[in-house]
Amino acid sequence: MQGDFALHHRVFATLNIESVPVKVSSDLESVDGLVIPGGESTTMSLLIDSYNLRNPLKKYGATHPVMGTCAGLIMMAKVVPDKRVNPLGFMDIVVDRNAYGRQINSSTEMVSFHFNSATKMELSTTLIRAPKISEMGKDIHILGEFNQSPVAVLSGHFLGLSFHPELDGIKIFHQILFDPTSSVYYKKINQTYAA
Amino acid sequence: MSKGTYEVKVGLAEMLKGGVIMDVTNPEQAKIAEDAGACAVMALERIPADIRKDGGISRMSDPEMIFGIQEMVSIPVMAKCRIGHFAEAQVLETLEVDFIDESEVLTPADEFNHIWKHDYKTPFVCGCRNLGEALRRIAEGAAMIRTKGEAGSGNIVEAVRHMRTLMTEIKRVTRLEDDEMVAEAKNLGAPLSLVQQVAKLGRLPVPNFAAGGIATPADASLMMQLGAETVFVGSGIFKSDDPAARAKAIVEATTHYQDAKRVAKASTGLKNAMKGLDMSEIPAEERLQERGW
């Protein structure tokens, strides 16, 4: 709708997964999963309401995998302490907008990720006017942290990231939700955490 | 950790895609823009239509005005500096604006040199009329390009001319053999490495937005269909009779630019658009697009 959707399409193309833009509720009927990209959360929140997408998105999320990056993470939250944004409430987290400051503080950071016992890696991640997860409920699995603050969290079939894997061409997060053949597919990660 | 790298700068430009960036001159207008769904605002003292009307020298905005807008809205705040005025750019960086527009809308400070934009952590956007101009600005470090159009005219014709020219030249480059690209780089007045990159990608290496003359929802749709990834609207909103409604309508037409029914709906019931100027009414020496090279 608004944001860096083109870069997400590029990541899907490298995974040989077909992807289409979702702008109206009928677009949801043909897709197996959804990415809410980076962009401006105030814009997304307004457009979701003015184009009557809130209920269709909530209904879709109840049964389909959804990933949010940056502004998308904000939209995934249960609570956003800023009345300009009304999130979708998919994940039991509180997210603060622009918590790292303005663009001059945007940065690339090395972060260690731990997906399951077999898959750990250091990845260079890019934070653009990034949000911060300030509180979490139970059943939220932290996949990676930066400065003691979670930057990648998984809860059931919802994945929230405060950074932009699509900017650095990182594929593994898209594989978690959308590639059942991957060793890090969310159902397998959830089993690991349940065990 | 690394801040202000070229990738981080282009990264913010990527986030602004599919949106509308609106010119605002005070916090109240910024609020109207944010509430209408703008993905960023451009803070400037006078909108281009008034700069054109009032004449005089047009400079960087008063920091106090920029602070007021930064306090009012949470979306990115951009500001303009004069072409070649690197001290104004240094000041804007200390104000922590999210993007600097080295803009032909302001009176140029240097008729020969643009700013060396790699020296800054803040990303820059620059205007262009064609591929050569775009690649010269990218070589200097611009993280985003916008076609210039004719700011403050309310007339889309120049924006279309510049976007068509840019897209045609990009297509041409993609068809060239390796040995032909050296001559093409010479003709364009652009670095060979960037010409080769455009040939490989089939697009500019940075996001490509449109500006200068967009006044209606259909104007926005037109520019998006011609290849713009986001639109800047300057005078078109706050020179119209109902800025809030028009701002919202232009956002809707930009999101759904391929859906003519929605553009029609967005265009319905808006009060008068800005009056606008025919190009024949703007003498050649007063055309803002001629500033910069």
Side-chain angles (χ1 to χ4, degrees):
Chain A
M1 187 176 292
Q2 188 276 318
D4 70 333
F5 41 80
L7 294 177
H8 283 283
H9 288 309
R10 265 180 239 165
V11 174
F12 281 121
T14 62
L15 290 169
N16 289 320
I17 297 172
E18 197 189 336
S19 60
V20 293
V22 172
K23 291 186 179 185
V24 294
S25 58
S26 59
D27 292 336
L28 289 167
E29 288 162 16
S30 61
V31 295
D32 300 319
L34 180 71
V35 174
I36 309 177
E40 282 306 314
S41 54
T42 48
T43 304
M44 289 181 192
S45 180
L46 278 164
L47 298 191
I48 282 172
D49 285 320
S50 54
Y51 307 155
N52 297 317
L53 279 168
R54 184 166 297 276
N55 285 330
L57 282 172
K58 283 192 168 175
K59 210 171 137 198
Y60 183 85
T63 50
H64 294 82
V66 183
M67 170 162 93
T69 64
C70 194
L73 167 73
I74 298 170
M75 295 310 298
M76 304 280 284
K78 187 168 263 179
V79 178
V80 177
D82 181 334
K83 61 181 182 345
R84 287 175 280 218
V85 175
N86 183 8
L88 293 165
F90 289 150
M91 302 180 91
D92 188 9
I93 51 176
V94 179
V95 178
D96 295 332
R97 302 179 61 217
N98 302 339
Y100 295 90
R102 301 183 191 281
Q103 172 65 10
I104 194 137
N105 296 306
S106 293
S107 63
T108 301
E109 312 282 351
M110 287 307 290
V111 177
S112 315
F113 292 94
H114 181 173
F115 299 100
N116 57 38
S117 51
T119 318
K120 295 175 189 179
M121 56 182 74
E122 289 258 315
L123 291 170
S124 167
T125 60
T126 301
L127 297 145
I128 306 278
R129 289 170 41 97
K132 195 180 262 183
I133 299 169
S134 56
E135 286 176 48
M136 299 195 314
K138 285 182 289 180
D139 304 323
I140 304 279
H141 305 313
I142 298 174
L143 304 181
E145 281 182 305
F146 167 66
N147 278 354
Q148 283 91 50
S149 172
V151 294
V153 290
L154 181 71
S155 169
H157 57 283
F158 297 123
L159 178 61
L161 310 174
S162 56
F163 59 95
H164 294 281
E166 72 282 8
L167 270 178
D168 293 299
I170 298 169
K171 291 185 260 188
I172 191 162
F173 296 97
H174 293 73
Q175 287 178 303
I176 289 175
L177 283 195
F178 310 111
D179 181 4
T181 66
S182 162
S183 65
V184 293
Y185 192 53
Y186 72 94
K187 288 182 181 166
K188 295 174 195 167
I189 297 183
N190 285 335
Q191 277 166 10
T192 313
Y193 275 95
Chain B
M1 89 174 180
S2 44
K3 289 184 183 179
T5 61
Y6 193 59
E7 289 70 26
V8 168
K9 293 194 271 189
V10 176
L12 178 59
E14 294 283 351
M15 299 311 143
L16 301 172
K17 283 186 179 175
V20 181
I21 300 165
M22 300 182 193
D23 277 3
V24 297
T25 58
N26 57 50
E28 293 69 40
Q29 289 183 351
K31 180 84 173 61
I32 291 172
E34 184 174 56
D35 288 347
C39 65
V41 290
M42 175 75 70
L44 73 173
E45 210 105 291
R46 291 177 291 167
I47 54 176
D50 289 333
I51 291 174
R52 188 178 290 291
K53 199 174 74 198
D54 301 348
I57 302 299
S58 197
R59 310 179 178 92
M60 175 187 80
S61 296
D62 183 339
E64 195 176 321
M65 184 270 265
I66 295 173
F67 286 139
I69 291 172
Q70 284 173 327
E71 292 232 321
M72 178 63 81
V73 298
S74 61
I75 53 179
V77 176
M78 307 183 170
K80 290 180 190 288
C81 71
R82 287 179 262 179
I83 290 175
H85 204 316
F86 53 84
E88 283 188 348
Q90 289 161 355
V91 169
L92 290 175
E93 176 152 278
T94 69
L95 303 180
E96 299 196 357
V97 302
D98 294 295
F99 239 102
I100 298 172
D101 186 359
E102 186 185 17
S103 177
E104 71 280 3
V105 168
L106 306 186
T107 312
D110 188 327
E111 293 184 339
F112 299 98
N113 308 295
H114 285 250
I115 296 170
W116 183 250
K117 293 166 271 287
H118 291 291
D119 284 348
Y120 299 76
K121 288 195 166 78
T122 307
F124 277 73
V125 53
C126 290
C128 79
R129 288 162 295 176
N130 52 50
L131 181 58
E133 199 172 3
L135 295 183
R136 288 191 289 279
R137 299 293 85 78
I138 293 168
E140 293 157 356
M144 183 208 293
I145 289 295
R146 55 174 175 76
T147 45
K148 284 178 173 173
E150 184 59 28
S153 70
N155 185 342
I156 199 70
V157 68
E158 295 301 300
V160 169
R161 186 193 318 282
H162 300 156
M163 188 60 76
R164 286 264 189 203
T165 304
L166 181 67
M167 290 304 180
T168 304
E169 290 177 342
I170 290 173
K171 274 182 238 160
R172 185 186 138 71
V173 164
T174 60
R175 291 194 300 267
L176 296 178
E177 301 295 333
D178 289 343
D179 55 1
E180 294 172 312
M181 266 186 239
V182 183
E184 184 68 5
K186 174 174 173 279
N187 288 338
L188 291 171
L192 175 62
S193 60
L194 286 176
V195 175
Q196 288 167 327
Q197 211 181 337
V198 169
K200 198 170 145 210
L201 295 170
R203 57 176 168 80
L204 291 180
V206 302
N208 173 24
F209 296 2
I214 295 161
T216 69
D219 286 348
S221 168
L222 175 66
M223 295 315 298
M224 294 295 282
Q225 292 188 59
L226 287 174
E229 295 173 299
T230 279
V231 296
F232 281 88
V233 186
S235 319
I237 290 172
F238 290 101
K239 274 287 157 190
S240 74
D241 286 352
D242 187 354
R246 183 162 294 267
K248 220 173 157 188
I250 291 178
V251 170
E252 175 154 13
T254 304
T255 311
H256 298 288
Y257 67 93
Q258 289 161 311
D259 183 343
K261 280 188 185 153
R262 291 194 80 131
V263 178
K265 199 173 128 248
S267 309
T268 306
L270 295 177
K271 292 181 185 160
N272 289 335
M274 71 179 284
K275 185 161 172 280
L277 291 167
D278 189 79
M279 292 312 293
S280 63
E281 297 174 70
I282 309 174
E285 66 277 13
E286 287 179 20
R287 293 188 186 172
L288 301 175
Q289 59 180 280
E290 303 298 332
R291 297 167 167 183
W293 49 276

